[in-house]
Each structure stands twice: as structure tokens, then as C-alpha cells.
Amino acid sequence: MTAAALPRPLPAIDKDSAAFWTGGKDGRLLIHRCGDCGYYVHPPVRSCPECESRAVAPQPVSGRGRIYTYTINYKQWVPGLPERYVLALVALEEQGDVLLPCNVVNCSPDDVTFDMPVKVLFEQHEDVWVPLFEPAEG
């Protein structure tokens, strides 16, 4: 599967999630981070689960991570969707317990492996930039 736009439902964007879904416009993956203890929080919430601070705001991250787990879908659920594609959880380089559900693109599903290094890219749909991941060097 390539990064070409696929039919996909778009998220309902609210005040908490807006930065995550729109940061791709500027090529940035934005994850909420606590200003007091530095803990990354995803999905975004208004207070830090580590220290209970309310000083949580979106911050850019490297967009690099590793495949934590994945599965290969073998059914074309809607027209235009490939029969085989990868659904994965990517652990971010900055904090391994931040797991982003995503598609892995620009490689054969057979080439995806656990702990594979990946990097973010974005697929635009209307005013939403969906984070996807592709293989990275190293």
C-alpha cells in the first residue's frame, strides 16, 4: 500500500485533539506533553496522568518510532480499500508507552516486522492530516 489517499472515516475534532489532527499541515506530529514533568500524553487529555498537572499542551515530536505490534488486514471492507494493508501500533521514539494506531505504508505488508523503525508522513483529507508511518532507515 502506498500513501495514496484511502477511503477512511474522518475523526471528530475537538479542542483536545485538534493539534494532533491538524499538525500535519505543517509537517509536524503534535503530541500533548506535560509542562511540569515532561510526560507525553496520548490520546490528548487536559491533565497529566503522571503528576496531575493541568499544564498539558501539544508539542512537536520527531515523528520517529518503532512498530510495537501490527496485523495485516486481508479483507476489502469498503470499495477502494486494498485487500491487504497493515494496521499497527507505533511506539514513539520520545516515549515508548505513547502508542499511535496507524497504517504502515510505502512497503509490502510482508516486509513489516516487530520493532521495525518507522517515520511519520501525513495524508490530507479536507482539514485533517492523518498520521501514517513508513519504513525508516536505522
Side-chain angles (χ1 to χ4, degrees), residues 101-117:
C102 62
N103 293 122
V104 177
V105 298
N106 297 334
C107 68
S108 166
D110 297 327
D111 293 337
V112 176
T113 61
F114 294 103
D115 206 37
M116 180 174 126

Side-chain angles (χ1 to χ4, degrees), residues 14 39 53 61-64 70 72 80 87 89 97 109 113 119:
D14 60 22
Y39 190 77
S53 170
V61 295
S62 68
R64 300 180 70 78
Y70 72 98
I72 300 173
L87 300 166
L89 288 177
D97 65 349
T113 61
K119 62 183 180 180

